């Protein structure tokens, strides 16, 4: 039998995980549209200057939120790598699904 407080905390974690998944899905929908626009405009799939700005911004947000900035940077780098791969696929005329 699970302790009631532990069960409540786990329910909260489950809800937060679901929210993260839906937020990531929305983010990827927007970045897919960015990839299509970049391809239409002949822009490169990656934008290192923008990525550096995002990392600095998210490290600052993480620090303010009490989250390890190193973890936040690793997390963003993981997401950005996936987005850039999607943009490369789109640029080659492929579909990201």
């Amino acid at each position: 039998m699970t302790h009631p407080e532990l069960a409540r905390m786990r329910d909260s974690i489950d809800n937060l995980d679901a929210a993260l998944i839906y937020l990531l899905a929305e983010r990827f929908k927007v970045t897919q549209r960015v990839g299509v626009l970049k391809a239409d405009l002949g822009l490169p799939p990656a934008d290192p200057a923008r990525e550096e700005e995002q990392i600095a911004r998210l490290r600052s947000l993480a620090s303010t939120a009490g989250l390890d900035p190193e973890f936040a940077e690793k997390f963003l780098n993981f997401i950005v790598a996936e987005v850039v791969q999607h943009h490369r696929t789109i640029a080659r005329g492929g579909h990201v699904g």
Side-chain angles (χ1 to χ4, degrees), residues 23-94:
L23 286 171
L24 283 171
E26 287 303 311
R27 188 185 196 286
F28 277 100
K29 288 175 188 172
V30 174
T31 59
Q32 185 170 349
R33 292 196 310 261
V34 168
V36 169
L37 182 58
K38 282 182 170 184
D40 289 348
L41 296 173
L43 297 173
D47 185 345
R50 164 76 175 158
E51 292 162 22
E52 284 182 33
E53 290 171 9
Q54 283 294 89
I55 288 169
R57 186 177 74 82
L58 287 176
R59 285 183 66 92
S60 177
L61 285 171
S63 183
T64 300
L67 182 67
D68 179 7
E70 291 293 321
F71 171 77
E73 183 173 346
K74 288 177 190 175
F75 182 69
L76 181 64
N77 283 332
F78 177 76
I79 291 171
V80 167
E82 188 69 16
V83 167
V84 169
Q85 184 57 44
H86 289 181
H87 289 184
R88 286 185 178 128
T89 299
I90 292 166
R92 290 190 304 267

Side-chain angles (χ1 to χ4, degrees), residues 1-31:
M1 181 169 168
T2 304
H3 187 279
E5 186 175 354
L6 180 57
R8 281 192 300 277
M9 288 181 195
R10 286 179 174 169
D11 285 344
S12 291
I13 290 169
D14 292 350
N15 289 336
L16 291 165
D17 287 345
L20 285 170
I21 294 300
Y22 279 99
L23 286 171
L24 283 171
E26 287 303 311
R27 188 185 196 286
F28 277 100
K29 288 175 188 172
V30 174
T31 59

